[in-house]
């Protein structure tokens, strides 16, 4: 039995097609098949099938559609058939990935992109992958998820077609390239890699006039529709054709393709964050180009991005790049864009002598190298949007995953980034994290103490792992004693200290504090001893002895830095560990009279 998504959704059992049911059932089957073998949580299923306005009784509708899918799949009785089953993470379609055309397509394209794959084999693999397409993917279906997937998968097809065309020209099969490339250019008229592949194929087939006409047309489309000059390869092809010179060597043939694998090690004992992981999965499935993960210091941004990057690295066969941009780091100034561009070019295999000196030229070469490739770029600890922007690809296909203590509003507004804001862990997930570090037996033996530790750590993952490390290095320490030390506000930060700046909570919080403007730092210091869970702009203005119209920009600065949170409009708060830090820095601040 096969499940086909690269065209109308179909279930094929041997020589016959099994009716796949009505629209919603076909959409749900497509959601499960595209995610397989990962489970799909019920809320995600509801969102992808019904969108923002699901009907009343939608969970019953989910069960009905799942039953319908099971009935459709049972039509393939007599051979191993896919099954839909429930597990704690949601519904999962248990199927051999090669029985879903989407996954078979991705396996073939990944095999073709492996380093050292000879061109004849690459042509055969990519041709087999492209033959799986039967038209518009998910044809006949509608909805936001379907539209996102359709666009994303068509870009994957475009990438595969470009790679096939380039390899086919190199092995002398150039005559087959022109009709395929021209057909795809109707749907992707601004794809310069596809246009250059077509021009090279026509020139290799001694159709120089057609090649020059296609080259001129491609340059004109880019200038007219996008308002930018054509890329270097397209311009160099036009110049060579006009001068009757040999065409320049294409980038893919200039040397071995470097596939970087720079991700840091996955996080040991990672726990929780299921909704956030599901959200990241949904953004990836929806062809997001930039995802910005923000949150306060110690909330687990780096851990989440590293863990998820390892989960999805198979979706990026052209490699994974990683940079710590040192936006909040005591080891020195934050990384400048020119330095960052040089490091990513080095990771992509550009020799040191060929890396341009200027930052603009470096960014342009970086975008050229990523065009037509699927690369995951993880940028950790970003300072602001300006630091990230030169590292954004110029063409779809790759994904940039950014983490920052600040809310990168500029990336959202100007670059279409999708924002994922991390909150502290809820109590249940905080207990899971402690159990993963200390062992379930020790956690179960002192449930009240564990509750105290979770409360004192305010659900902050960094604080929880520091507390767990303290308990692990002192195996005779009872957890209720540790909880008592943590619940005492006077000793809390001392208990959560360490000999490594990265695992000393006070030091980590100080990096966020140091990045604030002096007026915002003063307001933060004054906040420490204030009773109550939150405060209004009027209360903050009264506290600081400052007019409200001057206090509001400071509250905005503290919120963007994720030092304050605004859970409801007009009310600001920060968690207890930040309050403890505010008291600590306030006691040594230069304005004790104002504080009093």
């Amino acid at each position: 039995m096969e499940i086909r998504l690269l065209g109308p959704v179909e279930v094929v059992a041997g020589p016959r097609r099994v009716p796949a049911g009505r629209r919603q059932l076909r959409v749900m089957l497509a959601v499960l098949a595209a995610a397989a073998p990962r489970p799909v949580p019920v809320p995600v299923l509801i969102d992808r099938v019904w969108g923002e306005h699901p009907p009343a009784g939608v969970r019953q509708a989910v069960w009905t559609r799942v039953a319908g899918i099971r009935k459709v799949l049972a039509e393939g009785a007599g051979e191993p058939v896919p099954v839909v089953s429930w597990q704690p993470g949601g519904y999962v379609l248990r199927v051999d990935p090669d029985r879903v055309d989407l996954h078979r397509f991705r396996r073939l394209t990944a095999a073709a992109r492996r380093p050292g794959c000879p061109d004849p084999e690459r042509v055969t693999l990519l041709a087999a992958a492209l033959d799986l397409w039967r038209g518009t993917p998910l044809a006949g279906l509608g909805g936001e998820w379907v539209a996102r997937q359709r666009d994303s998968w068509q870009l994957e097809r475009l990438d595969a077609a470009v790679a096939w065309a380039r390899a086919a020209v190199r092995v002398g099969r150039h005559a087959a390239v022109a009709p395929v490339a021209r057909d795809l250019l109707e749907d992707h008229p601004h794809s310069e890699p596809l246009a250059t592949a077509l021009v090279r194929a026509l020139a290799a087939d001694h159709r120089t006039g057609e090649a020059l006409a296609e080259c001129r047309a491609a340059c004109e489309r880019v200038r007219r529709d996008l308002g930018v000059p054509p890329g270097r390869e397209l311009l160099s092809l036009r110049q060579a054709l006009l001068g009757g010179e040999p065409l320049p060597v294409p980038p893919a043939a200039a040397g071995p393709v470097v596939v970087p694998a720079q991700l840091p090690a996955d996080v040991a004992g990672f726990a929780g964050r299921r909704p956030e992981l599901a959200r990241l999965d949904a953004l990836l499935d929806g062809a997001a180009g930039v995802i910005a993960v923000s949150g306060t210091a110690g909330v687990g941004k780096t851990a989440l991005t590293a863990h998820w990057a390892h989960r999805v690295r198979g979706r990026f066969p052209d490699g994974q790049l990683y940079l710590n941009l040192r936006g909040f780091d005591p080891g020195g100034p934050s990384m400048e864009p020119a330095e960052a561009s040089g490091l990513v070019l080095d990771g992509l295999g550009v020799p040191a002598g060929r890396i341009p000196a200027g930052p603009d030229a470096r960014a342009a070469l970086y975008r050229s190298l990523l065009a037509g490739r699927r690369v995951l770029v993880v940028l950790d600890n970003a300072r602001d949007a300006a630091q990230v922007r030169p590292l954004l690809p110029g063409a779809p296909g790759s994904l940039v995953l950014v983490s920052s203590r600040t809310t990168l509003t500029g990336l959202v507004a100007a670059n279409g980034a999708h924002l994922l804001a991390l909150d502290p862990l809820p109590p249940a997930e905080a207990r899971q994290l402690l159990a993963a570090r200390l062992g379930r037996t020790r956690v179960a033996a002192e449930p009240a103490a564990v509750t105290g530790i979770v409360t004192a750590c305010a659900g902050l993952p960094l604080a929880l792992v520091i507390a767990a490390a303290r308990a692990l290095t002192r195996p005779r320490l009872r957890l209720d004693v540790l909880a008592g030390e943590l619940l005492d506000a006077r000793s809390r930060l001392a208990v959560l200290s360490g000999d490594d700046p990265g695992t000393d909570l006070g030091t980590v919080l100080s990096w966020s504090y140091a990045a604030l403007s002096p007026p915002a730092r003063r307001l933060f210091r004054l906040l420490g001893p204030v009773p109550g869970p939150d405060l209004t702009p009027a209360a903050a203005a009264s506290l600081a002895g400052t007019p409200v119209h001057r206090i509001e920009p400071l509250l905005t600065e503290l919120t963007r830095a994720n030092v304050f949170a605004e859970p409801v409009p007009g009310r600001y708060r920060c968690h207890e560990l930040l309050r403890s830090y505010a008291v600590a820095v306030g006691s040594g601040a230069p304005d004790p009279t104002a504080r009093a």
Side-chain angles (χ1 to χ4, degrees), residues 86 104 138 144-145 194 217 254-255 312 325 332 363 427 437 560 582:
W86 167 259
R104 188 156 71 252
L138 307 177
E144 184 180 348
W145 178 82
L194 184 61
V312 301
L325 295 176
R437 297 289 177 131
R560 285 180 177 168

Side-chain angles (χ1 to χ4, degrees), residues 259-261 313 316-321 373-377:
V259 181
R313 61 182 177 179
F316 298 92
D318 296 314
Q320 307 88 42
L321 294 166
R373 302 175 70 180
R374 294 185 64 79
V375 177
L376 175 61
V377 184

Side-chain angles (χ1 to χ4, degrees), residues 211-286:
L212 183 57
E214 290 287 354
C215 194
R216 284 172 169 163
C219 290
E220 177 58 27
R221 286 194 301 269
V222 171
R223 285 196 180 96
R224 181 189 66 234
D225 300 340
L226 303 183
V228 297
R232 183 180 302 173
E233 185 181 3
L234 204 54
L235 291 174
S236 65
L237 287 177
R238 187 183 66 175
Q239 188 67 30
L241 289 167
L242 287 170
E245 302 169 358
L247 298 188
V249 177
V257 176
V258 174
V259 181
Q262 298 182 348
L263 294 181
D266 199 355
V267 180
F270 186 88
R273 297 297 190 196
R274 282 187 178 178
E276 290 84 358
L277 291 169
R279 170 68 174 156
L280 289 170
D281 288 342
L283 289 172
L284 175 59
D285 290 343

Side-chain angles (χ1 to χ4, degrees), residues 524 527-535 573-584:
F524 173 70
L527 173 72
V530 175
D534 55 19
L535 76 167
R573 71 182 182 198
C574 65
H575 59 69
E576 287 303 315
L577 291 173
L578 277 168
R579 282 182 176 272
S580 296
Y581 182 73
V583 170

Side-chain angles (χ1 to χ4, degrees), residues 133-188:
W133 287 76
R134 298 169 294 109
T136 302
L138 307 177
L141 301 180
E144 184 180 348
W145 178 82
V146 168
R148 291 198 312 262
Q149 295 305 106
R150 187 176 288 139
D151 291 344
S152 175
W153 298 349
Q154 286 177 326
L155 288 175
E156 291 186 51
R157 181 192 186 188
L158 176 63
D159 291 345
V162 169
W164 167 80
R166 287 175 170 172
V169 170
R170 290 196 296 269
V171 300
R173 294 179 55 185
H174 37 73
V177 171
V180 175
R182 280 179 165 144
D183 183 56
L184 280 171
L185 274 171
E186 292 184 7
D187 294 325
H188 306 280

Side-chain angles (χ1 to χ4, degrees), residues 336-397:
E336 291 301 320
E339 179 187 358
S341 298
L343 289 173
V344 293
L345 289 174
D346 178 73
L348 290 168
V350 179
R354 292 187 57 203
I355 296 178
D360 292 343
R362 289 185 176 191
L365 177 58
Y366 166 73
R367 291 194 297 270
S368 298
L369 290 174
L370 258 58
R373 302 175 70 180
R374 294 185 64 79
V375 177
L376 175 61
V377 184
V378 180
L379 304 177
D380 191 23
N381 198 13
R383 177 190 64 218
D384 52 30
Q387 190 185 26
V388 171
R389 201 165 277 125
L391 300 173
L392 301 182

